[in-house]
Amino acid sequence: KINLFTEKGGAITYDNRNKTKRTVIKGIDLTEHTFGNNMCLLMQISAYSTNLYDGYLEAKERISFEKEHKLGSDTNFVMIYPLINGIDSSKYKYYFLILIYEDPAKNNEDISKITREVLNKVLQLPIANIKLPTILEELKGYGIIPELQVKYSAVFNEDNDVDVKYREYFVSGKFKKQKEDNFKNMPFEKIEDLLKEPNEEDYQKREVKVTVGKKEFRISKELLSEAGEVLKETAEKVFNLKTSITQEELDTKLYNKEFVVSKLILVLENYLSTNNEL
């Protein structure tokens, strides 16, 4: 599928929400690498932003961006690793692990979005949605949760604070309310109780982030403030691993394929050993 996309000279174009900037994925270069008894694929994705209305590049001379100019990178790296679990071949669970190389020169959200677009539109791979009971079952096994962060937020239409002498000119206004609570070493039972409770009064959205080692579990519940009805509840599990690099590596190896693969393989080994899937 990737080769076909490249051979046909295809491109994926998508707009960035609430922004004029448009992103175009124009090519994918593939290399195969060995890990254990399996092969993994390294995708080097070329992408650029266009539809630019503001900004400039200053080199020997200053160049102001124009709408049709392209600002991009040919070094967006993503690794795909196949995983098959089970003893009975008729009941195998099989899926791909996706590893994103988030280098210090790029915006993490941009490379994550590029990856999702490639998975969806080139490989037609579904991204699994994690159900809340699955996360709760995993958290239960830890007993005590080292770190917990709870964020509450709400946005209201507001005009009560506008001085009466300006009210005749007033068109619209919004009032934002936020709150953040941080906890340490909380028993799982307390977290389970917290997740079952309705959002605190006057808050529309609650975002819970549980951190256990290199794993982050994010659970959000967004409510319709007027009626108190659940709009949506989402759960996400993220595995993060950071690594140190020297200044020399930053200057000379950051986009060297073998260097990139060596870093991603470390993440893969760490993830598989942590999740008992080797």
Side-chain angles (χ1 to χ4, degrees):
K1 290 178 180 179
I2 295 171
N3 287 337
L4 187 62
F5 171 79
T6 303
E7 289 167 6
K8 288 187 174 181
I12 301 170
T13 302
Y14 62 89
D15 293 324
N16 295 268
R17 189 163 58 96
N18 299 326
K19 303 295 180 183
T20 61
K21 185 178 75 170
R22 182 171 296 125
T23 301
V24 178
I25 299 170
K26 65 173 185 175
I28 305 171
D29 181 57
L30 271 185
T31 52
E32 292 185 357
H33 301 270
T34 302
F35 175 69
N37 295 324
N38 288 339
M39 300 294 291
C40 50
L41 288 178
L42 182 70
M43 295 191 294
Q44 182 175 338
I45 305 169
S46 299
Y48 63 83
S49 296
T50 187
N51 207 33
L52 308 171
Y53 280 82
D54 188 33
Y56 64 88
L57 168 68
E58 188 157 342
K60 292 182 178 179
E61 58 182 274
R62 176 170 167 149
I63 303 172
S64 296
F65 292 154
E66 296 180 8
K67 187 177 177 181
E68 69 277 6
H69 282 177
K70 299 173 183 179
L71 185 64
S73 169
D74 294 329
T75 53
N76 300 289
F77 289 104
V78 180
M79 180 178 282
I80 304 176
Y81 178 76
L83 202 59
I84 301 174
N85 285 334
I87 299 173
D88 184 350
S89 61
S90 64
K91 298 180 181 179
Y92 279 158
K93 291 183 179 179
Y94 52 92
Y95 50 92
F96 290 103
L97 293 178
I98 309 298
L99 294 88
I100 300 175
Y101 184 68
E102 294 184 340
D103 71 75
K106 295 185 179 68
N107 184 305
N108 292 349
E109 291 183 5
D110 290 343
I111 179 62
S112 294
K113 178 65 175 174
I114 288 170
T115 302
R116 286 177 178 270
E117 291 292 323
V118 169
L119 294 177
N120 181 32
K121 295 180 180 177
V122 178
L123 297 176
Q124 290 90 47
L125 289 177
I127 298 175
N129 293 317
I130 299 176
K131 304 300 182 183
L132 182 56
T134 303
I135 283 185
L136 291 178
E137 188 63 30
E138 184 168 348
L139 291 177
K140 185 177 181 179
Y142 293 113
I144 301 296
I145 305 303
E147 295 181 48
L148 174 70
Q149 180 187 79
V150 186
K151 290 183 178 181
Y152 300 91
S153 60
V155 179
F156 304 99
N157 293 323
E158 182 65 53
D159 63 358
N160 294 332
D161 290 337
V162 179
D163 194 294
V164 66
K165 63 183 178 181
Y166 306 123
R167 196 170 291 266
E168 65 177 295
Y169 311 106
F170 182 75
V171 177
S172 65
K174 289 184 178 180
F175 171 71
K176 295 183 179 180
K177 186 177 180 181
Q178 293 181 317
K179 175 187 173 184
E180 180 179 315
D181 295 330
N182 293 283
F183 305 92
K184 280 187 176 294
N185 301 322
M186 182 180 285
F188 166 76
E189 291 76 15
K190 297 291 184 183
I191 293 178
E192 192 173 28
D193 291 342
L194 186 152
L195 293 173
K196 290 179 181 178
E197 291 177 357
N199 284 10
E200 288 192 12
E201 189 177 354
D202 293 334
Y203 288 101
Q204 299 161 344
K205 188 173 184 179
R206 181 182 67 199
E207 298 170 280
V208 177
K209 183 173 77 171
V210 177
T211 304
V212 182
K214 301 178 184 71
K215 297 180 184 178
E216 285 184 6
F217 303 85
R218 303 169 188 170
I219 304 159
S220 70
K221 178 184 285 187
E222 193 166 352
L223 304 178
L224 183 61
S225 59
E226 294 179 359
E229 298 174 358
V230 175
L231 286 179
K232 62 179 179 179
E233 189 170 49
T234 60
E236 182 181 6
K237 178 183 174 182
V238 179
F239 183 85
N240 291 317
L241 184 65
K242 296 182 179 180
T243 183
S244 298
I245 59 174
T246 65
Q247 184 63 47
E248 181 184 0
E249 289 172 332
L250 179 65
D251 294 337
T252 62
K253 292 186 177 181
L254 195 60
Y255 302 116
N256 175 281
K257 282 187 180 180
E258 294 305 319
F259 180 78
V260 172
V261 169
S262 70
K263 295 299 182 183
L264 292 177
I265 289 295
L266 285 176
V267 179
L268 185 57
E269 289 175 339
N270 204 297
Y271 173 82
L272 292 176
S273 60
T274 302
N275 289 270
N276 299 316
E277 290 174 341
L278 267 177

